[in-house]
PDB file of all heavy atoms in Angstrom:
ATOM      1  N   ASN A 214       9.481  14.115  31.981  1.00  0.00           N
ATOM      2  CA  ASN A 214       8.927  15.445  32.244  1.00  0.00           C
ATOM      3  C   ASN A 214       9.428  15.942  33.595  1.00  0.00           C
ATOM      4  O   ASN A 214      10.137  15.235  34.320  1.00  0.00           O
ATOM      5  CB  ASN A 214       7.389  15.420  32.178  1.00  0.00           C
ATOM      6  CG  ASN A 214       6.779  14.480  33.207  1.00  0.00           C
ATOM      7  OD1 ASN A 214       7.272  14.354  34.326  1.00  0.00           O
ATOM      8  ND2 ASN A 214       5.694  13.810  32.827  1.00  0.00           N
ATOM      9  N   ILE A 215       9.054  17.167  33.938  1.00  0.00           N
ATOM     10  CA  ILE A 215       9.584  17.803  35.139  1.00  0.00           C
ATOM     11  C   ILE A 215       9.220  17.020  36.399  1.00  0.00           C
ATOM     12  O   ILE A 215      10.024  16.897  37.328  1.00  0.00           O
ATOM     13  CB  ILE A 215       9.082  19.277  35.247  1.00  0.00           C
ATOM     14  CG1 ILE A 215       9.745  19.979  36.450  1.00  0.00           C
ATOM     15  CG2 ILE A 215       7.571  19.331  35.338  1.00  0.00           C
ATOM     16  CD1 ILE A 215      11.235  20.102  36.347  1.00  0.00           C
ATOM     17  N   ASN A 216       7.995  16.445  36.446  1.00  0.00           N
ATOM     18  CA  ASN A 216       7.588  15.664  37.611  1.00  0.00           C
ATOM     19  C   ASN A 216       8.454  14.430  37.777  1.00  0.00           C
ATOM     20  O   ASN A 216       8.844  14.065  38.893  1.00  0.00           O
ATOM     21  CB  ASN A 216       6.116  15.240  37.483  1.00  0.00           C
ATOM     22  CG  ASN A 216       5.175  16.423  37.538  1.00  0.00           C
ATOM     23  OD1 ASN A 216       5.503  17.465  38.115  1.00  0.00           O
ATOM     24  ND2 ASN A 216       3.994  16.274  36.942  1.00  0.00           N
ATOM     25  N   GLU A 217       8.767  13.761  36.671  1.00  0.00           N
ATOM     26  CA  GLU A 217       9.589  12.548  36.724  1.00  0.00           C
ATOM     27  C   GLU A 217      11.040  12.868  37.058  1.00  0.00           C
ATOM     28  O   GLU A 217      11.715  12.089  37.735  1.00  0.00           O
ATOM     29  CB  GLU A 217       9.490  11.803  35.392  1.00  0.00           C
ATOM     30  CG  GLU A 217       8.114  11.207  35.163  1.00  0.00           C
ATOM     31  CD  GLU A 217       7.837  10.897  33.697  1.00  0.00           C
ATOM     32  OE1 GLU A 217       8.556  11.420  32.824  1.00  0.00           O
ATOM     33  OE2 GLU A 217       6.890  10.138  33.437  1.00  0.00           O
ATOM     34  N   VAL A 218      11.529  14.009  36.606  1.00  0.00           N
ATOM     35  CA  VAL A 218      12.899  14.417  36.929  1.00  0.00           C
ATOM     36  C   VAL A 218      13.041  14.642  38.431  1.00  0.00           C
ATOM     37  O   VAL A 218      14.026  14.214  39.056  1.00  0.00           O
ATOM     38  CB  VAL A 218      13.281  15.699  36.155  1.00  0.00           C
ATOM     39  CG1 VAL A 218      14.578  16.288  36.710  1.00  0.00           C
ATOM     40  CG2 VAL A 218      13.428  15.401  34.677  1.00  0.00           C
ATOM     41  N   LEU A 219      12.051  15.305  39.025  1.00  0.00           N
ATOM     42  CA  LEU A 219      12.124  15.639  40.444  1.00  0.00           C
ATOM     43  C   LEU A 219      11.808  14.455  41.354  1.00  0.00           C
ATOM     44  O   LEU A 219      12.194  14.465  42.524  1.00  0.00           O
ATOM     45  CB  LEU A 219      11.156  16.783  40.759  1.00  0.00           C
ATOM     46  CG  LEU A 219      11.528  18.148  40.167  1.00  0.00           C
ATOM     47  CD1 LEU A 219      10.413  19.151  40.414  1.00  0.00           C
ATOM     48  CD2 LEU A 219      12.832  18.661  40.758  1.00  0.00           C
ATOM     49  N   SER A 220      11.115  13.451  40.835  1.00  0.00           N
ATOM     50  CA  SER A 220      10.734  12.319  41.680  1.00  0.00           C
ATOM     51  C   SER A 220      11.498  11.051  41.316  1.00  0.00           C
ATOM     52  O   SER A 220      12.324  10.561  42.091  1.00  0.00           O
ATOM     53  CB  SER A 220       9.228  12.068  41.572  1.00  0.00           C
ATOM     54  OG  SER A 220       8.848  11.839  40.218  1.00  0.00           O
ATOM     55  N   LEU A 221      11.278  10.549  40.110  1.00  0.00           N
ATOM     56  CA  LEU A 221      11.857   9.272  39.700  1.00  0.00           C
ATOM     57  C   LEU A 221      13.381   9.298  39.726  1.00  0.00           C
ATOM     58  O   LEU A 221      14.032   8.435  40.322  1.00  0.00           O
ATOM     59  CB  LEU A 221      11.352   8.906  38.304  1.00  0.00           C
ATOM     60  CG  LEU A 221      11.697   7.506  37.796  1.00  0.00           C
ATOM     61  CD1 LEU A 221      10.993   6.457  38.625  1.00  0.00           C
ATOM     62  CD2 LEU A 221      11.305   7.359  36.326  1.00  0.00           C
ATOM     63  N   SER A 222      13.967  10.297  39.092  1.00  0.00           N
ATOM     64  CA  SER A 222      15.428  10.367  39.003  1.00  0.00           C
ATOM     65  C   SER A 222      16.060  10.532  40.376  1.00  0.00           C
ATOM     66  O   SER A 222      17.067   9.893  40.702  1.00  0.00           O
ATOM     67  CB  SER A 222      15.845  11.527  38.095  1.00  0.00           C
ATOM     68  OG  SER A 222      15.348  11.335  36.792  1.00  0.00           O
ATOM     69  N   SER A 223      15.475  11.403  41.207  1.00  0.00           N
ATOM     70  CA  SER A 223      16.023  11.644  42.536  1.00  0.00           C
ATOM     71  C   SER A 223      16.012  10.376  43.377  1.00  0.00           C
ATOM     72  O   SER A 223      16.983  10.067  44.075  1.00  0.00           O
ATOM     73  CB  SER A 223      15.220  12.746  43.234  1.00  0.00           C
ATOM     74  OG  SER A 223      15.699  12.962  44.535  1.00  0.00           O
ATOM     75  N   ILE A 224      14.912   9.622  43.295  1.00  0.00           N
ATOM     76  CA  ILE A 224      14.804   8.383  44.065  1.00  0.00           C
ATOM     77  C   ILE A 224      15.811   7.352  43.568  1.00  0.00           C
ATOM     78  O   ILE A 224      16.461   6.656  44.348  1.00  0.00           O
ATOM     79  CB  ILE A 224      13.365   7.828  43.972  1.00  0.00           C
ATOM     80  CG1 ILE A 224      12.415   8.739  44.749  1.00  0.00           C
ATOM     81  CG2 ILE A 224      13.282   6.419  44.525  1.00  0.00           C
ATOM     82  CD1 ILE A 224      10.974   8.509  44.459  1.00  0.00           C
ATOM     83  N   MET A 225      15.985   7.270  42.239  1.00  0.00           N
ATOM     84  CA  MET A 225      16.946   6.327  41.659  1.00  0.00           C
ATOM     85  C   MET A 225      18.341   6.538  42.206  1.00  0.00           C
ATOM     86  O   MET A 225      19.053   5.595  42.544  1.00  0.00           O
ATOM     87  CB  MET A 225      16.985   6.498  40.135  1.00  0.00           C
ATOM     88  CG  MET A 225      15.898   5.780  39.368  1.00  0.00           C
ATOM     89  SD  MET A 225      16.183   5.936  37.600  1.00  0.00           S
ATOM     90  CE  MET A 225      17.715   5.035  37.419  1.00  0.00           C
ATOM     91  N   PHE A 226      18.760   7.786  42.305  1.00  0.00           N
ATOM     92  CA  PHE A 226      20.150   8.083  42.625  1.00  0.00           C
ATOM     93  C   PHE A 226      20.430   8.165  44.127  1.00  0.00           C
ATOM     94  O   PHE A 226      21.568   8.264  44.541  1.00  0.00           O
ATOM     95  CB  PHE A 226      20.563   9.400  41.954  1.00  0.00           C
ATOM     96  CG  PHE A 226      20.399   9.364  40.454  1.00  0.00           C
ATOM     97  CD1 PHE A 226      19.983  10.483  39.758  1.00  0.00           C
ATOM     98  CD2 PHE A 226      20.656   8.196  39.748  1.00  0.00           C
ATOM     99  CE1 PHE A 226      19.830  10.444  38.377  1.00  0.00           C
ATOM    100  CE2 PHE A 226      20.509   8.148  38.368  1.00  0.00           C
ATOM    101  CZ  PHE A 226      20.096   9.273  37.679  1.00  0.00           C
ATOM    102  N   ARG A 227      19.368   8.129  44.956  1.00  0.00           N
ATOM    103  CA  ARG A 227      19.592   8.266  46.397  1.00  0.00           C
ATOM    104  C   ARG A 227      19.168   7.037  47.195  1.00  0.00           C
ATOM    105  O   ARG A 227      19.606   6.867  48.326  1.00  0.00           O
ATOM    106  CB  ARG A 227      18.825   9.488  46.933  1.00  0.00           C
ATOM    107  CG  ARG A 227      19.387  10.819  46.470  1.00  0.00           C
ATOM    108  CD  ARG A 227      18.616  11.959  47.105  1.00  0.00           C
ATOM    109  NE  ARG A 227      19.112  13.248  46.647  1.00  0.00           N
ATOM    110  CZ  ARG A 227      20.099  13.925  47.229  1.00  0.00           C
ATOM    111  NH1 ARG A 227      20.706  13.419  48.276  1.00  0.00           N
ATOM    112  NH2 ARG A 227      20.494  15.097  46.759  1.00  0.00           N
ATOM    113  N   MET A 228      18.311   6.201  46.645  1.00  0.00           N
ATOM    114  CA  MET A 228      17.730   5.107  47.415  1.00  0.00           C
ATOM    115  C   MET A 228      18.779   4.118  47.901  1.00  0.00           C
ATOM    116  O   MET A 228      18.713   3.612  49.018  1.00  0.00           O
ATOM    117  CB  MET A 228      16.674   4.377  46.576  1.00  0.00           C
ATOM    118  CG  MET A 228      15.837   3.397  47.355  1.00  0.00           C
ATOM    119  SD  MET A 228      14.847   4.174  48.663  1.00  0.00           S
ATOM    120  CE  MET A 228      13.584   5.001  47.698  1.00  0.00           C
ATOM    121  N   LYS A 229      19.791   3.845  47.077  1.00  0.00           N
ATOM    122  CA  LYS A 229      20.787   2.836  47.441  1.00  0.00           C
ATOM    123  C   LYS A 229      21.555   3.227  48.694  1.00  0.00           C
ATOM    124  O   LYS A 229      21.810   2.392  49.567  1.00  0.00           O
ATOM    125  CB  LYS A 229      21.746   2.605  46.270  1.00  0.00           C
ATOM    126  CG  LYS A 229      22.762   1.501  46.539  1.00  0.00           C
ATOM    127  CD  LYS A 229      23.662   1.275  45.344  1.00  0.00           C
ATOM    128  CE  LYS A 229      24.680   0.181  45.645  1.00  0.00           C
ATOM    129  NZ  LYS A 229      25.589  -0.059  44.500  1.00  0.00           N
ATOM    130  N   SER A 230      21.940   4.491  48.806  1.00  0.00           N
ATOM    131  CA  SER A 230      22.729   4.932  49.960  1.00  0.00           C
ATOM    132  C   SER A 230      21.917   4.917  51.249  1.00  0.00           C
ATOM    133  O   SER A 230      22.475   4.874  52.343  1.00  0.00           O
ATOM    134  CB  SER A 230      23.285   6.337  49.718  1.00  0.00           C
ATOM    135  OG  SER A 230      22.226   7.260  49.547  1.00  0.00           O
ATOM    136  N   ASN A 231      20.590   4.937  51.132  1.00  0.00           N
ATOM    137  CA  ASN A 231      19.714   4.917  52.314  1.00  0.00           C
ATOM    138  C   ASN A 231      19.169   3.522  52.602  1.00  0.00           C
ATOM    139  O   ASN A 231      18.269   3.365  53.420  1.00  0.00           O
ATOM    140  CB  ASN A 231      18.538   5.876  52.123  1.00  0.00           C
ATOM    141  CG  ASN A 231      18.989   7.320  51.988  1.00  0.00           C
ATOM    142  OD1 ASN A 231      20.012   7.702  52.540  1.00  0.00           O
ATOM    143  ND2 ASN A 231      18.236   8.117  51.241  1.00  0.00           N
ATOM    144  N   ALA A 232      19.698   2.493  51.913  1.00  0.00           N
ATOM    145  CA  ALA A 232      19.108   1.151  51.958  1.00  0.00           C
ATOM    146  C   ALA A 232      19.045   0.588  53.378  1.00  0.00           C
ATOM    147  O   ALA A 232      18.009   0.065  53.803  1.00  0.00           O
ATOM    148  CB  ALA A 232      19.885   0.203  51.041  1.00  0.00           C
ATOM    149  N   LEU A 233      20.145   0.672  54.124  1.00  0.00           N
ATOM    150  CA  LEU A 233      20.175   0.091  55.471  1.00  0.00           C
ATOM    151  C   LEU A 233      19.192   0.805  56.396  1.00  0.00           C
ATOM    152  O   LEU A 233      18.439   0.161  57.139  1.00  0.00           O
ATOM    153  CB  LEU A 233      21.591   0.163  56.041  1.00  0.00           C
ATOM    154  CG  LEU A 233      21.777  -0.449  57.434  1.00  0.00           C
ATOM    155  CD1 LEU A 233      21.398  -1.921  57.417  1.00  0.00           C
ATOM    156  CD2 LEU A 233      23.208  -0.267  57.919  1.00  0.00           C
ATOM    157  N   LEU A 234      19.187   2.135  56.344  1.00  0.00           N
ATOM    158  CA  LEU A 234      18.261   2.912  57.176  1.00  0.00           C
ATOM    159  C   LEU A 234      16.816   2.551  56.859  1.00  0.00           C
ATOM    160  O   LEU A 234      16.003   2.313  57.763  1.00  0.00           O
ATOM    161  CB  LEU A 234      18.494   4.404  56.960  1.00  0.00           C
ATOM    162  CG  LEU A 234      17.463   5.351  57.587  1.00  0.00           C
ATOM    163  CD1 LEU A 234      17.538   5.286  59.098  1.00  0.00           C
ATOM    164  CD2 LEU A 234      17.661   6.777  57.088  1.00  0.00           C
ATOM    165  N   LEU A 235      16.482   2.510  55.571  1.00  0.00           N
ATOM    166  CA  LEU A 235      15.106   2.209  55.170  1.00  0.00           C
ATOM    167  C   LEU A 235      14.723   0.777  55.536  1.00  0.00           C
ATOM    168  O   LEU A 235      13.570   0.508  55.877  1.00  0.00           O
ATOM    169  CB  LEU A 235      14.942   2.434  53.666  1.00  0.00           C
ATOM    170  CG  LEU A 235      15.054   3.895  53.207  1.00  0.00           C
ATOM    171  CD1 LEU A 235      15.030   3.984  51.690  1.00  0.00           C
ATOM    172  CD2 LEU A 235      13.927   4.736  53.796  1.00  0.00           C
ATOM    173  N   THR A 236      15.693  -0.145  55.468  1.00  0.00           N
ATOM    174  CA  THR A 236      15.422  -1.537  55.861  1.00  0.00           C
ATOM    175  C   THR A 236      15.073  -1.609  57.346  1.00  0.00           C
ATOM    176  O   THR A 236      14.127  -2.306  57.735  1.00  0.00           O
ATOM    177  CB  THR A 236      16.640  -2.430  55.563  1.00  0.00           C
ATOM    178  OG1 THR A 236      16.928  -2.383  54.169  1.00  0.00           O
ATOM    179  CG2 THR A 236      16.370  -3.870  55.968  1.00  0.00           C
ATOM    180  N   ILE A 237      15.833  -0.898  58.170  1.00  0.00           N
ATOM    181  CA  ILE A 237      15.561  -0.888  59.619  1.00  0.00           C
ATOM    182  C   ILE A 237      14.192  -0.279  59.902  1.00  0.00           C
ATOM    183  O   ILE A 237      13.393  -0.825  60.677  1.00  0.00           O
ATOM    184  CB  ILE A 237      16.665  -0.112  60.365  1.00  0.00           C
ATOM    185  CG1 ILE A 237      18.003  -0.850  60.247  1.00  0.00           C
ATOM    186  CG2 ILE A 237      16.293   0.084  61.835  1.00  0.00           C
ATOM    187  CD1 ILE A 237      19.185  -0.064  60.749  1.00  0.00           C
ATOM    188  N   ILE A 238      13.907   0.865  59.262  1.00  0.00           N
ATOM    189  CA  ILE A 238      12.613   1.525  59.467  1.00  0.00           C
ATOM    190  C   ILE A 238      11.469   0.615  59.026  1.00  0.00           C
ATOM    191  O   ILE A 238      10.461   0.466  59.718  1.00  0.00           O
ATOM    192  CB  ILE A 238      12.577   2.869  58.711  1.00  0.00           C
ATOM    193  CG1 ILE A 238      13.493   3.883  59.406  1.00  0.00           C
ATOM    194  CG2 ILE A 238      11.148   3.419  58.637  1.00  0.00           C
ATOM    195  CD1 ILE A 238      13.608   5.203  58.684  1.00  0.00           C
ATOM    196  N   THR A 239      11.625  -0.003  57.858  1.00  0.00           N
ATOM    197  CA  THR A 239      10.579  -0.893  57.336  1.00  0.00           C
ATOM    198  C   THR A 239      10.364  -2.089  58.250  1.00  0.00           C
ATOM    199  O   THR A 239       9.221  -2.452  58.561  1.00  0.00           O
ATOM    200  CB  THR A 239      10.956  -1.382  55.931  1.00  0.00           C
ATOM    201  OG1 THR A 239      11.108  -0.262  55.070  1.00  0.00           O
ATOM    202  CG2 THR A 239       9.886  -2.305  55.372  1.00  0.00           C
ATOM    203  N   THR A 240      11.456  -2.715  58.698  1.00  0.00           N
ATOM    204  CA  THR A 240      11.353  -3.911  59.535  1.00  0.00           C
ATOM    205  C   THR A 240      10.701  -3.603  60.876  1.00  0.00           C
ATOM    206  O   THR A 240       9.792  -4.325  61.320  1.00  0.00           O
ATOM    207  CB  THR A 240      12.750  -4.523  59.762  1.00  0.00           C
ATOM    208  OG1 THR A 240      13.351  -4.812  58.489  1.00  0.00           O
ATOM    209  CG2 THR A 240      12.659  -5.806  60.565  1.00  0.00           C
ATOM    210  N   VAL A 241      11.149  -2.519  61.515  1.00  0.00           N
ATOM    211  CA  VAL A 241      10.581  -2.183  62.826  1.00  0.00           C
ATOM    212  C   VAL A 241       9.136  -1.697  62.674  1.00  0.00           C
ATOM    213  O   VAL A 241       8.293  -1.958  63.539  1.00  0.00           O
ATOM    214  CB  VAL A 241      11.452  -1.142  63.556  1.00  0.00           C
ATOM    215  CG1 VAL A 241      10.896  -0.834  64.932  1.00  0.00           C
ATOM    216  CG2 VAL A 241      12.882  -1.641  63.688  1.00  0.00           C
ATOM    217  N   SER A 242       8.833  -1.005  61.574  1.00  0.00           N
ATOM    218  CA  SER A 242       7.439  -0.603  61.315  1.00  0.00           C
ATOM    219  C   SER A 242       6.555  -1.837  61.182  1.00  0.00           C
ATOM    220  O   SER A 242       5.457  -1.900  61.754  1.00  0.00           O
ATOM    221  CB  SER A 242       7.358   0.236  60.035  1.00  0.00           C
ATOM    222  OG  SER A 242       7.969   1.482  60.193  1.00  0.00           O
ATOM    223  N   ALA A 243       7.031  -2.819  60.407  1.00  0.00           N
ATOM    224  CA  ALA A 243       6.272  -4.062  60.235  1.00  0.00           C
ATOM    225  C   ALA A 243       6.089  -4.767  61.571  1.00  0.00           C
ATOM    226  O   ALA A 243       5.007  -5.297  61.869  1.00  0.00           O
ATOM    227  CB  ALA A 243       6.989  -4.976  59.243  1.00  0.00           C
ATOM    228  N   LEU A 244       7.148  -4.766  62.391  1.00  0.00           N
ATOM    229  CA  LEU A 244       7.073  -5.402  63.706  1.00  0.00           C
ATOM    230  C   LEU A 244       6.050  -4.691  64.594  1.00  0.00           C
ATOM    231  O   LEU A 244       5.220  -5.339  65.248  1.00  0.00           O
ATOM    232  CB  LEU A 244       8.454  -5.373  64.362  1.00  0.00           C
ATOM    233  CG  LEU A 244       8.591  -6.079  65.709  1.00  0.00           C
ATOM    234  CD1 LEU A 244       8.361  -7.576  65.547  1.00  0.00           C
ATOM    235  CD2 LEU A 244       9.964  -5.831  66.309  1.00  0.00           C
ATOM    236  N   ALA A 245       6.097  -3.359  64.602  1.00  0.00           N
ATOM    237  CA  ALA A 245       5.157  -2.594  65.426  1.00  0.00           C
ATOM    238  C   ALA A 245       3.716  -2.810  64.972  1.00  0.00           C
ATOM    239  O   ALA A 245       2.821  -3.056  65.794  1.00  0.00           O
ATOM    240  CB  ALA A 245       5.515  -1.105  65.364  1.00  0.00           C
ATOM    241  N   ILE A 246       3.487  -2.722  63.659  1.00  0.00           N
ATOM    242  CA  ILE A 246       2.129  -2.907  63.129  1.00  0.00           C
ATOM    243  C   ILE A 246       1.650  -4.333  63.399  1.00  0.00           C
ATOM    244  O   ILE A 246       0.499  -4.556  63.807  1.00  0.00           O
ATOM    245  CB  ILE A 246       2.086  -2.605  61.617  1.00  0.00           C
ATOM    246  CG1 ILE A 246       2.427  -1.129  61.356  1.00  0.00           C
ATOM    247  CG2 ILE A 246       0.706  -2.921  61.041  1.00  0.00           C
ATOM    248  CD1 ILE A 246       2.663  -0.812  59.894  1.00  0.00           C
ATOM    249  N   GLY A 247       2.535  -5.313  63.171  1.00  0.00           N
ATOM    250  CA  GLY A 247       2.158  -6.708  63.367  1.00  0.00           C
ATOM    251  C   GLY A 247       1.820  -7.024  64.814  1.00  0.00           C
ATOM    252  O   GLY A 247       0.784  -7.637  65.105  1.00  0.00           O
ATOM    253  N   LEU A 248       2.678  -6.593  65.753  1.00  0.00           N
ATOM    254  CA  LEU A 248       2.431  -6.873  67.168  1.00  0.00           C
ATOM    255  C   LEU A 248       1.175  -6.171  67.665  1.00  0.00           C
ATOM    256  O   LEU A 248       0.392  -6.750  68.429  1.00  0.00           O
ATOM    257  CB  LEU A 248       3.637  -6.446  67.999  1.00  0.00           C
ATOM    258  CG  LEU A 248       4.896  -7.303  67.860  1.00  0.00           C
ATOM    259  CD1 LEU A 248       6.041  -6.710  68.664  1.00  0.00           C
ATOM    260  CD2 LEU A 248       4.638  -8.740  68.301  1.00  0.00           C
ATOM    261  N   LEU A 249       0.987  -4.925  67.228  1.00  0.00           N
ATOM    262  CA  LEU A 249      -0.203  -4.189  67.649  1.00  0.00           C
ATOM    263  C   LEU A 249      -1.457  -4.836  67.069  1.00  0.00           C
ATOM    264  O   LEU A 249      -2.485  -4.941  67.749  1.00  0.00           O
ATOM    265  CB  LEU A 249      -0.101  -2.727  67.213  1.00  0.00           C
ATOM    266  CG  LEU A 249      -1.134  -1.764  67.811  1.00  0.00           C
ATOM    267  CD1 LEU A 249      -1.130  -1.836  69.327  1.00  0.00           C
ATOM    268  CD2 LEU A 249      -0.864  -0.344  67.353  1.00  0.00           C
TER     269      LEU A 249
END
């Protein structure tokens, strides 16, 4: 449906190219939350 086209499909086709950036953000977020 239209909601899945705009969300699921878009994430499928873009997530891989952002993998390194998201890994850095996730890791440092976890570090900040954990240390705090």
Side-chain angles (χ1 to χ4, degrees):
N214 61 36
I215 185 63
N216 294 335
E217 291 160 343
V218 168
L219 291 173
S220 57
L221 188 66
S222 299
S223 178
I224 290 166
M225 278 186 65
F226 302 143
R227 290 183 182 271
M228 191 63 73
K229 184 178 179 181
S230 61
N231 297 330
L233 182 59
L234 171 67
L235 293 174
T236 300
I237 294 171
I238 289 176
T239 301
T240 303
V241 182
S242 291
L244 184 65
I246 296 169
L248 289 176
L249 192 54

